[in-house]
Amino acid sequence: YRFQRVWFWGCIQGLHGTYYIAEGLGPDCAALRSRLYSFNCVEWYLLPPATEEMVAQAMQLVGRFQGDPSFEYELTVVNTEDAEGLFEDGKEPVMKEEARLVATIEQIDRAVGIVPRGAFVKTPLGSVHENRNFEGLSLTEAKKLTSYFHFAEPVNLRKKTLLEKADLDPSTDFLDSLEHDIPQGSWTVQVEKGGTVVVLRSLLWLGLTFYHVPMTKQYGYIYFGTGEKNFDLPFML
């Protein structure tokens, strides 16, 4: 597929099988990522790109994955107008597990896929590339949530005023930081191995772990979970 970079994303555990996920990136790191899944880490299958409709439908589904890409879930239609259109052919609306899988990966990447500040730079033309001059965060900076960004299309950044943006560097501060994540307290920051590794874990998507070795280029995140969002988090904090 001519990827410039491939990383192992993690795995989603189903009742009858486990999906191992890999992501491929092209020249522009901010562009849509290609995602592949496998059951044995030898044979890989390309997933279709996630659409907003897929993500909206996947958010309606609850419960574990089955581990079968062809399994079909019945969707509950809330809007009566949508229901009329969907039931015209006499069939109930369904969603295949393969579509739910790619939509869940997209949700996790948007919500908790993170990178250290300065790891990527935005060119004047708008493309995003890996920063070759990035030498890692200091231990002091690595323990702050403000030092980490969501590696997804920014939402909160657009709402900031020009005065708030005055101190930001447009080449590195073009993503949303973790400090304003809702609910507050959805991240845990831990220093391990005597201060040589900083580990962030998401309490919203249990199973997402990010690590960074301060003063080095070593960082990354991986997800090992069931693909279910922790809706009980606000009551746990």
Side-chain angles (χ1 to χ4, degrees):
Y1 297 105
R2 297 182 180 177
F3 297 137
Q4 289 205 349
R5 185 176 179 183
V6 179
W7 60 41
F8 181 62
W9 183 86
C11 73
I12 291 179
Q13 297 155 354
L15 295 171
H16 308 294
T18 300
Y19 296 102
Y20 296 95
I21 314 295
E23 286 189 333
L25 280 74
D28 184 359
C29 297
L32 288 173
R33 297 169 219 169
S34 298
R35 298 181 173 110
L36 303 98
Y37 75 93
S38 172
F39 291 108
N40 55 13
C41 293
V42 177
E43 298 171 333
W44 293 89
Y45 308 96
L46 190 66
L47 285 164
T51 63
E52 291 301 325
E53 186 184 2
M54 278 180 174
V55 174
Q57 289 176 344
M59 289 172 73
Q60 296 177 27
L61 300 173
V62 293
R64 293 280 301 273
F65 279 80
Q66 297 298 311
D68 176 10
S70 59
F71 182 83
E72 292 183 341
Y73 296 90
E74 289 184 7
L75 295 171
T76 42
V77 182
V78 180
N79 193 334
T80 52
E81 292 179 5
D82 293 343
E84 287 175 7
L86 289 165
F87 285 108
E88 278 176 2
D89 57 357
K91 294 181 180 178
E92 291 186 3
V94 294
M95 183 181 197
K96 284 196 171 183
E97 182 155 286
E98 187 181 65
R100 184 191 178 190
L101 178 67
V102 73
T104 302
I105 296 168
E106 180 70 18
Q107 283 184 75
I108 294 172
D109 268 343
R110 285 182 192 177
V112 290
I114 59 175
V115 293
R117 181 180 182 272
F120 290 86
V121 290
K122 190 173 188 178
T123 65
L125 297 174
S127 59
V128 176
H129 302 280
E130 201 168 353
N131 185 3
R132 295 182 180 179
N133 296 322
F134 178 68
E135 295 295 336
L137 302 170
S138 66
L139 181 58
T140 307
E141 290 294 318
K143 289 190 274 188
K144 300 176 182 176
L145 285 179
T146 51
S147 300
Y148 301 97
F149 292 149
H150 288 281
F151 197 37
E153 192 69 27
V155 177
N156 295 330
L157 191 65
R158 294 174 182 172
K159 299 175 185 176
K160 289 189 175 183
T161 62
L162 290 173
L163 191 62
E164 289 174 317
K165 290 180 180 178
D167 296 329
L168 302 180
D169 184 343
S171 64
T172 54
D173 300 321
F174 58 92
L175 299 168
D176 287 335
S177 94
L178 269 60
E179 62 177 326
H180 300 301
D181 278 14
I182 299 172
Q184 285 192 346
S186 60
W187 289 96
T188 65
V189 183
Q190 296 171 311
V191 180
E192 299 183 3
K193 288 194 172 182
T196 56
V197 182
V198 177
V199 176
L200 277 73
R201 290 184 177 89
S202 173
L203 301 179
L204 192 61
W205 288 93
L206 296 171
L208 191 288
T209 303
F210 170 89
Y211 79 93
H212 176 49
V213 181
M215 306 306 293
T216 72
K217 294 184 178 183
Q218 295 181 43
Y219 66 87
Y221 66 86
I222 197 163
Y223 178 81
F224 280 93
T226 58
E228 295 174 288
K229 194 174 183 179
N230 182 18
F231 289 107
D232 296 329
L233 179 59
F235 305 101
M236 297 164 64
L237 295 172

